[in-house]
Amino acid sequence: MSAPTAARPVDAERTGRRVEEVLDRLAGSDPAAAAAAEELVRSLMDFYGAGLARTLHLLADAPGDPSARLLGDELVASLLVLHDLHPEDRDTRIARALDSVREHALDVVEFDEESGALTLRAREAGGCGCGSGAGAREAARAALACFAPEVTDVEVQTAPAGPALLQIGTGPAPTGTR
């Protein structure tokens, strides 16, 4: 028996895209193979979902509260969401995702359940009148993919600029005085 190897880091968003790509390739070739592949994926999802549900049930009976560590783990949290087992509601998961990209200072404006669109507002950073930067939308999207996949589109509005800062300097000395 060989020694166990360290687990490779798994990115939930990348894995989801990869599964979709493979299923799309199969759908483009043999319809029977595509149907079989989809059935296989569904069966595995059911199996792993049941295992995760059992794990959560067993952990709920354990002393202490291990859920905080589980929910803080991106991979575990995304598996729980994928299997509709995440104990936190959508708004809490959205807040958790945005908290993970704290450097962008984003506030929720509204979520459209029908379209899956989330509108965010970038708070001013450091009082300089500049928003959170161009990367805010992509950072929010990546975090939300793991914690709140029901968010399918993200729009970031910039906060209205505050009053302009005035530079007050010393003026010229009055004439005629010495």
Side-chain angles (χ1 to χ4, degrees), residues 34-49:
E38 286 186 35
E39 183 180 346
L40 174 63
V41 170
R42 270 194 302 279
S43 295
L44 287 172
M45 292 283 296
D46 290 345
F47 177 72
Y48 288 118

Side-chain angles (χ1 to χ4, degrees), residues 7-23:
R8 259 186 9 192
V10 176
D11 178 282
E13 184 179 5
R14 188 177 18 197
T15 300
R17 283 195 308 260
R18 177 77 177 124
V19 168
E20 286 179 18
E21 288 169 6
V22 171
L23 289 175

Side-chain angles (χ1 to χ4, degrees), residues 15-150:
T15 300
R17 283 195 308 260
R18 177 77 177 124
V19 168
E20 286 179 18
E21 288 169 6
V22 171
L23 289 175
D24 287 346
R25 274 196 341 242
L26 284 169
S29 61
D30 179 12
E38 286 186 35
E39 183 180 346
L40 174 63
V41 170
R42 270 194 302 279
S43 295
L44 287 172
M45 292 283 296
D46 290 345
F47 177 72
Y48 288 118
L52 284 170
R54 172 96 38 95
T55 301
L56 287 177
H57 175 72
L58 293 171
L59 284 173
D61 294 339
D65 182 20
S67 64
R69 284 191 318 212
L70 291 174
L71 299 180
D73 183 275
E74 187 177 293
L75 178 61
V76 173
S78 59
L79 280 172
L80 294 174
V81 169
L82 181 66
H83 291 285
D84 201 22
L85 297 170
H86 205 289
E88 295 176 331
D89 65 18
R90 181 199 67 229
D91 292 342
T92 303
R93 289 183 285 111
I94 288 173
R96 181 185 290 273
L98 295 178
D99 191 45
S100 74
V101 291
R102 212 175 318 200
E103 69 275 10
H104 292 289
L106 299 167
D107 292 320
V108 174
V109 174
E110 72 175 317
F111 176 69
D112 182 350
E113 289 188 43
E114 196 170 307
S115 69
L118 178 66
T119 304
L120 303 171
R121 180 171 296 119
R123 293 189 300 263
E124 292 181 54
C128 65
C130 55
S132 294
R137 181 173 185 234
E138 288 311 309
R141 275 188 141 161
L144 289 161
C146 294
F147 290 103
E150 57 265 65

